[in-house]
PDB file of all heavy atoms in Angstrom:
ATOM      1  N   ARG X  85      10.461  -0.207  11.039  1.00 90.00           N
ATOM      2  CA  ARG X  85      10.532  -0.192  12.495  1.00 90.00           C
ATOM      3  C   ARG X  85       9.285   0.502  13.033  1.00 90.00           C
ATOM      4  O   ARG X  85       8.565   1.168  12.300  1.00 90.00           O
ATOM      5  CB  ARG X  85      11.779   0.563  12.949  1.00 90.00           C
ATOM      6  CG  ARG X  85      13.078  -0.034  12.431  1.00 90.00           C
ATOM      7  CD  ARG X  85      14.198   0.980  12.494  1.00 90.00           C
ATOM      8  NE  ARG X  85      13.864   2.181  11.713  1.00 90.00           N
ATOM      9  CZ  ARG X  85      14.572   3.297  11.729  1.00 90.00           C
ATOM     10  NH1 ARG X  85      15.622   3.399  12.490  1.00 90.00           N
ATOM     11  NH2 ARG X  85      14.209   4.322  10.994  1.00 90.00           N
ATOM     12  N   VAL X  86       9.059   0.367  14.331  1.00 92.00           N
ATOM     13  CA  VAL X  86       7.905   0.993  14.961  1.00 92.00           C
ATOM     14  C   VAL X  86       7.886   2.486  14.657  1.00 92.00           C
ATOM     15  O   VAL X  86       6.847   3.068  14.322  1.00 92.00           O
ATOM     16  CB  VAL X  86       7.941   0.755  16.490  1.00 92.00           C
ATOM     17  CG1 VAL X  86       6.894   1.601  17.184  1.00 92.00           C
ATOM     18  CG2 VAL X  86       7.711  -0.711  16.788  1.00 92.00           C
ATOM     19  N   ILE X  87       9.052   3.100  14.726  1.00 91.00           N
ATOM     20  CA  ILE X  87       9.138   4.549  14.528  1.00 91.00           C
ATOM     21  C   ILE X  87       8.711   4.934  13.108  1.00 91.00           C
ATOM     22  O   ILE X  87       8.085   5.979  12.891  1.00 91.00           O
ATOM     23  CB  ILE X  87      10.572   5.032  14.857  1.00 91.00           C
ATOM     24  CG1 ILE X  87      10.611   6.533  15.041  1.00 91.00           C
ATOM     25  CG2 ILE X  87      11.557   4.578  13.833  1.00 91.00           C
ATOM     26  CD1 ILE X  87      11.955   7.021  15.545  1.00 91.00           C
ATOM     27  N   ASP X  88       8.996   4.067  12.129  1.00 89.00           N
ATOM     28  CA  ASP X  88       8.595   4.356  10.743  1.00 89.00           C
ATOM     29  C   ASP X  88       7.074   4.356  10.615  1.00 89.00           C
ATOM     30  O   ASP X  88       6.489   5.195   9.928  1.00 89.00           O
ATOM     31  CB  ASP X  88       9.177   3.312   9.782  1.00 89.00           C
ATOM     32  CG  ASP X  88      10.693   3.281   9.813  1.00 89.00           C
ATOM     33  OD1 ASP X  88      11.288   4.369   9.900  1.00 89.00           O
ATOM     34  OD2 ASP X  88      11.275   2.183   9.766  1.00 89.00           O
ATOM     35  N   LEU X  89       6.440   3.388  11.284  1.00 91.00           N
ATOM     36  CA  LEU X  89       4.979   3.284  11.208  1.00 91.00           C
ATOM     37  C   LEU X  89       4.325   4.468  11.924  1.00 91.00           C
ATOM     38  O   LEU X  89       3.442   5.132  11.388  1.00 91.00           O
ATOM     39  CB  LEU X  89       4.524   1.969  11.848  1.00 91.00           C
ATOM     40  CG  LEU X  89       3.010   1.768  11.906  1.00 91.00           C
ATOM     41  CD1 LEU X  89       2.454   1.551  10.513  1.00 91.00           C
ATOM     42  CD2 LEU X  89       2.654   0.592  12.798  1.00 91.00           C
ATOM     43  N   VAL X  90       4.809   4.744  13.143  1.00 93.00           N
ATOM     44  CA  VAL X  90       4.163   5.778  13.947  1.00 93.00           C
ATOM     45  C   VAL X  90       4.366   7.158  13.317  1.00 93.00           C
ATOM     46  O   VAL X  90       3.448   7.989  13.310  1.00 93.00           O
ATOM     47  CB  VAL X  90       4.693   5.732  15.394  1.00 93.00           C
ATOM     48  CG1 VAL X  90       4.118   6.866  16.222  1.00 93.00           C
ATOM     49  CG2 VAL X  90       4.334   4.406  16.035  1.00 93.00           C
ATOM     50  N   SER X  91       5.528   7.397  12.733  1.00 91.00           N
ATOM     51  CA  SER X  91       5.782   8.731  12.183  1.00 91.00           C
ATOM     52  C   SER X  91       4.943   9.021  10.940  1.00 91.00           C
ATOM     53  O   SER X  91       4.870  10.167  10.497  1.00 91.00           O
ATOM     54  CB  SER X  91       7.274   8.916  11.873  1.00 91.00           C
ATOM     55  OG  SER X  91       7.683   7.994  10.899  1.00 91.00           O
ATOM     56  N   LEU X  92       4.286   7.992  10.386  1.00 90.00           N
ATOM     57  CA  LEU X  92       3.330   8.262   9.297  1.00 90.00           C
ATOM     58  C   LEU X  92       2.236   9.214   9.789  1.00 90.00           C
ATOM     59  O   LEU X  92       1.585   9.884   8.996  1.00 90.00           O
ATOM     60  CB  LEU X  92       2.682   6.964   8.814  1.00 90.00           C
ATOM     61  CG  LEU X  92       3.507   6.033   7.935  1.00 90.00           C
ATOM     62  CD1 LEU X  92       2.691   4.809   7.583  1.00 90.00           C
ATOM     63  CD2 LEU X  92       3.963   6.738   6.690  1.00 90.00           C
ATOM     64  N   GLY X  93       2.035   9.261  11.121  1.00 89.00           N
ATOM     65  CA  GLY X  93       1.025  10.152  11.693  1.00 89.00           C
ATOM     66  C   GLY X  93       1.286  11.615  11.382  1.00 89.00           C
ATOM     67  O   GLY X  93       0.382  12.447  11.474  1.00 89.00           O
TER      68      GLY X  93
END
Side-chain angles (χ1 to χ4, degrees):
Chain X
R85 301 160 302 171
V86 170
I87 196 172
D88 300 321
L89 177 69
V90 176
S91 62
L92 284 179

